[in-house]
Every structure is written in C-alpha cells, then in structure tokens.
Amino acid sequence: MNRILTTLAVTASALALAGTAQAQNLTIANARIITGVGGRIIDKGSVVVKDGKIVAVTEGASKAPAKGAGKVINASGMTVIAGYIDDHRHIIHGERGPAGAAKFMKDDAAREMMELLESGVTTVQSGGDSPAVFDLRSKVASGEIKGPRIIASAQVPVSKMKDEATVRAAIDKAIADYKPDSIAEVHFPITEPPSTNIPTEQETRNLAAGIDEALKFHVPFQVHTSAPGAMTAALKAGAKKLVHTPHFGWLTDDEAKQVVTAHAWVSSCTGFGVPVFGVFNHNNVPTFRDGSKWPDDILNGEGRGREAGYKAVNGRTLWDNGVDYGYCTDTNYYAPAALAHELRTLNLMFSPIDMVKILGQNSADFIDMGDKLGTIETGKLADIVILGANPMDGYWNFLTAEVVIKGGVVMVDKRGKPNAGKPIVHNP
Ligand SMILES: [Zn+2]
C-alpha cells in the first residue's frame, strides 16, 4: 500500500514539474476569502492549490492539513482575493526603437515586473508597446524574469493607414513576426476630440478591415475611443475590446446598451484626467499622468480636467446598463502608485465589492481568460493575492498585498517585513 502511494506521489510530482516548473502545493488557511463569485465572502476558510490551480475553497477553521497539502500559509486576519488584472498598461517606456527597448530590458524590466507583482497584479496586457514586449513575454514565461503573466500586443496604428489592403498586410505581418496575443494602439479616430469625434469613412473601413483580419487568426483587437460617438462608430466597425471609458461628453443609456448588444467589453482608465500626486513630485503639485502640467497638458484636454468627471460618470453608466466593465491604467509609471490612482478614481462611483469584480472576473473576460482567471474558485489558475487588510473596509486596503501567488508559485512574500500590510500609494 505504502509503495503504491509513493509511486502515485512520485508520478504526480513529476507531472506537476512538467506542467508548471516551480508550482508547489499550498494551503492558505484561516483567511477571509473574497471569492469574486456573486459577491460571496467567506469569513474564515481555506484555499487549496495543487499543480498551479485552485482545487478547493472551503469554509471553516483549518484542522491539521491533509498529507500532501504542501506548504501551509496561515492567513489568519488576512484577506485572500484573486490576482489583479490590468487590461491595458504601457509596460515598456522610453524610446520606442531597438536602443530604447534594449535599455528597458537591461535597466528597468526586472525591477518593474517585480513592482507590478508587489502591487498584486498577476496578469497585465500591454498597450501596444515596442516589440521588446515579446522578448519580455518569453523571459517572464520561462522564469528568467520574475513578473506577472504578460499578454503581449503588437502595435498596428490602422487609422493612419492608406487603405484596407495596407491594413490587412500590416496585421498579417505583425502576426507572422511576433505571434501577438492581441493588436493594440489603435486610436479611432486619429484626430481626437474635442476637435472632432467623427471618424472618417476611410478610418472606419480601416478599423473594420483590421478587426476582421486579426479575427482570422483569432487575435483580439484593442481600440482606443475617447468620445461616445467614436465608441459607437467603433462598435459598428466590429470593435469588441474598448480600452477606455469615453471621456468627451456624457454617455447615454442607449449608447451604453449598444456595447452590451455588440458583446463588447470596456476597461476603465478612469484615472486619465484626474491629477496624479506623489509620483512625479512630492510637492503636492498636480500632474497629468506623464508628469506634465495638470490640467493644461491633458491629452486633447477640454480644460479644467473635465475628463475626470466624464470618465467616472460614464463608467457607472456602462456598469448600470450591464456592460462587463474591467480595469486598466493605460499608464507606464510606478505600478503600485498607478493601481492606487486608478482605484481612488473608481472609488468615486463603485463600491469595494464592485471593484473586486472590475479587477478580477471582468478584467479576465476582457482578455478572453474569464474561465481561467479572475475569481477564487475551484478549477481556476492559482493567481492569488493575500492582503494584510480587508478591502471591504475601504479601497486603500486593496493596496496591502503581502503575499502574491501566480499559477501556484509564491512570487512575493512580505510577511513580517517592514511596512508589510501598509498601503503603497506613492512612488518612493
Ligand atoms: Zn494605450
């Protein structure tokens, strides 16, 4: 009997090794568990992880763990939540050419990937960054760089292109060259409001051709639209993944319903027009998200930072009309502060339990991983954040990640370290 059990155990661990190189079996015990499923919260319970997946979520105090349960994390007084998903971040910054990419990979990549993990982000989709993002994707997947799961986008600015044939050729080339997970950085229209929100006929044809061409390869297509009229025009051209909440003008219920009818998704980026503090300076000077002057330098700004109001209210309009509304920052600055900024703005219109859905299941849906990520549920990948404080008491407690697990691998463990359990809101 013992021999049979030993043989089974060896086989199981060999399989685990083949599948997820460093994943270990884990039990997180005595935790408050925010499941993300229908608002369910377990006051005290356990999450069991095997071979990179969640295999049990149970209520009650933990007894002695079963044999083979692996490492036990006693999370008494702590809160378990699904790993955060940023649907659109500009992961790679600096000069876009090969020299800039090389510099980013050498000087910044490892540190910035850790900063994302430390904030609780376990999956991030790039916003059409330089091709270095594909190198980064493989280095993270192989474990050479420790970081969140990278959903890598190829940049194809279709609105600027001459005609549909050029667009289709550019999409084919990007897919052949990079095998991207998505296409991105499509601004529609290219001349942004307030000067106009009406795309030209050629832009509309280009967008429709680009989406259709990418679809042939099952590659999703992210579109930036920043006005309600542009958003509905993009929906008519077949857009499904809308990167921003529109911010030039108020969205009507009818426009929001068009998103639902089109089976499309929207991610937040509500922080776009809201002044950023404590990131580019510590002198209480409001800045736009690139560190320039607020409100003067808001991209195509209307003045006085009205975009902040449009985005917040329009986000709620989308939500109330049944849109699957996810989370994105669309920034490239210090990741924990970007999370803090976006949650601060979402907090105006959404409850903490709404934010759980926005950061989790809805964001997973946006990247077509809704069946694999976004909740603490049996069968999902073990992307788990253990928070030092309860986010139901206030959004700032989402910023208290102490343990961050990706695919069953403990990537961050700050328990017992200085400032563990304290929210990170500023760039140090
Ligand atoms: Zn973007």
Side-chain angles (χ1 to χ4, degrees):
M1 187 68 188
N2 271 342
R3 193 176 305 154
I4 294 168
L5 279 178
T6 312
T7 314
L8 283 174
V10 169
T11 313
S13 57
L15 283 172
L17 275 174
T20 42
Q22 317 146 49
Q24 61 178 140
N25 296 340
L26 283 172
T27 299
I28 304 163
N30 304 312
R32 178 184 300 104
I33 304 168
I34 300 176
T35 64
V37 184
R40 184 179 179 220
I41 297 175
I42 298 170
D43 289 329
K44 186 174 260 201
S46 298
V47 180
V48 182
V49 172
K50 275 206 177 112
D51 304 333
K53 284 191 172 168
I54 298 171
V55 296
V57 182
T58 53
E59 272 184 67
S62 148
K63 299 159 201 91
K67 277 217 174 88
K71 179 184 159 117
V72 177
I73 296 176
N74 183 359
S76 179
M78 302 172 90
T79 300
V80 161
I81 187 170
Y84 308 151
I85 301 165
D86 189 336
D87 282 332
H88 186 93
R89 175 175 166 87
H90 291 275
I91 301 175
I92 295 171
H93 49 80
E95 191 265 310
R96 268 187 183 264
K103 187 177 181 320
F104 173 83
M105 291 303 290
K106 181 168 150 289
D107 296 344
D108 306 313
R111 188 189 70 258
E112 294 193 10
M113 291 303 101
M114 271 320 286
E115 288 167 355
L116 274 163
L117 283 175
E118 282 168 2
S119 73
V121 172
T122 49
T123 300
V124 59
Q125 173 160 252
S126 78
D129 297 301
S130 86
V133 77
F134 301 105
D135 187 22
L136 184 64
R137 175 180 63 180
S138 24
K139 288 201 160 81
V140 169
S142 73
E144 188 182 333
I145 291 179
K146 231 169 135 180
R149 192 172 287 106
I150 306 277
I151 313 294
S153 273
Q155 189 198 26
V156 185
V158 302
S159 296
K160 288 181 191 166
M161 291 175 176
K162 189 173 84 203
D163 55 22
E164 296 103 294
T166 315
V167 167
R168 287 184 189 275
I171 299 275
D172 292 354
K173 181 168 176 5
I175 291 173
D177 286 355
Y178 304 120
K179 297 190 174 50
D181 302 305
S182 57
I183 303 292
E185 235 35 35
V186 175
H187 290 263
F188 180 77
I190 199 67
T191 310
E192 299 250 356
S195 47
T196 175
N197 64 5
I198 310 296
T200 65
E201 275 180 35
Q202 189 60 58
E203 281 177 320
T204 306
R205 284 198 297 267
N206 284 0
L207 181 65
I211 292 168
D212 178 65
E213 192 64 21
L215 205 62
K216 287 183 191 163
F217 302 91
H218 307 287
V219 174
F221 199 100
Q222 305 179 57
V223 185
H224 286 77
T225 61
S226 50
M231 184 192 82
T232 51
L235 291 172
K236 288 195 186 95
K240 302 282 183 208
K241 312 294 169 99
L242 300 162
V243 173
H244 290 173
T245 308
H247 61 245
F248 290 111
W250 307 110
L251 203 61
T252 64
D253 286 330
D254 177 61
E255 286 163 337
K257 286 198 178 82
Q258 290 181 42
V259 179
V260 180
T261 309
H263 302 289
W265 294 262
V266 182
S267 62
S268 63
C269 190
T270 53
F272 171 84
V274 177
V276 175
F277 294 100
V279 171
F280 300 99
N281 66 74
H282 293 276
N283 306 321
N284 199 31
V285 176
T287 66
F288 183 48
R289 60 188 185 160
D290 59 3
S292 60
K293 205 168 172 225
W294 186 94
D296 314 49
D297 295 328
I298 295 177
L299 201 62
N300 307 306
E302 279 189 7
R304 286 317 309 156
R306 268 177 222 157
E307 296 74 17
Y310 287 139
K311 274 211 193 291
V313 174
N314 290 344
R316 188 74 217 189
T317 303
L318 289 165
W319 177 274
D320 287 342
N321 281 286
V323 173
D324 193 334
Y325 189 64
Y327 168 86
C328 87
T329 56
D330 201 9
T331 54
N332 62 22
Y333 63 76
Y334 183 59
L339 175 72
H341 180 74
E342 187 68 14
L343 292 183
R344 174 165 78 94
T345 62
L346 284 167
N347 185 60
L348 185 63
M349 305 304 274
F350 294 98
S351 69
I353 199 73
D354 293 343
M355 289 188 217
V356 171
K357 205 174 171 199
I358 290 170
L359 281 163
Q361 184 66 59
N362 288 3
S363 287
D365 293 343
F366 191 95
I367 51 170
D368 301 324
M369 293 185 81
D371 57 337
K372 297 187 183 70
L373 296 173
T375 55
I376 302 295
E377 213 176 345
T378 301
K380 291 227 171 159
L381 292 173
D383 282 18
I384 299 169
V385 178
I386 308 178
L387 299 168
N390 181 4
M392 295 303 105
D393 293 340
Y395 81 87
W396 45 88
N397 288 341
F398 283 102
L399 311 172
T400 61
E402 290 199 41
V403 181
V404 181
I405 298 162
K406 183 186 82 172
V409 182
V410 176
M411 310 295 280
V412 174
D413 190 349
K414 292 198 277 196
R415 287 175 300 160
K417 304 229 169 88
N419 297 324
K422 297 255 165 59
I424 312 175
V425 291
H426 288 159
N427 196 353

